[in-house]
Amino acid sequence: MASAAYLGLLPSALGFVIWAYAVARLPLAVSTAALYLVPPVALIVSFVWLAEVPRPIALAGGAISVAGVILISRHQRNHHPIDVPVVDASEPQGAACA
């Protein structure tokens, strides 16, 4: 029973609170890209706390995840919104054709 309460409170509830905090303060694309950092962080935690030695395929997957986050973050910094023409609301839509 205690383990179920632990799993419900710490990883689940705390994770959602941290996620809401990040989304409220960062752009959505950046905070979503941060989710891809979960596998590499899990690899580091398992290596440090559990003394597990990751397999080469796990290291390759972590490297691909980090590379994806870097690419998404770099794209967001260089992205400029497209200029959208302003429509005059006072002119009826069909007036120009008549």
Side-chain angles (χ1 to χ4, degrees):
M1 182 68 172
S3 61
Y6 168 78
L7 289 174
L9 291 176
L10 287 180
S12 300
L14 187 62
F16 281 115
V17 168
I18 292 171
W19 171 250
Y21 182 83
V23 169
R25 284 159 179 75
L26 297 171
L28 186 59
V30 173
S31 57
T32 303
L35 289 176
Y36 291 111
L37 292 175
V38 171
V41 170
L43 281 171
I44 293 168
V45 168
S46 68
F47 180 73
V48 172
W49 285 347
L50 303 175
E52 290 184 3
V53 178
R55 296 181 181 170
I57 192 75
L59 293 174
I64 290 170
S65 297
V66 170
V69 171
I70 290 169
L71 287 173
I72 289 172
S73 297
R74 187 173 293 174
H75 174 72
Q76 289 299 320
R77 278 186 273 148
N78 295 334
H79 181 71
H80 299 291
I82 299 172
D83 291 332
V84 178
V86 178
V87 177
D88 187 11
S90 63
E91 182 179 321
Q93 294 295 328
C97 298

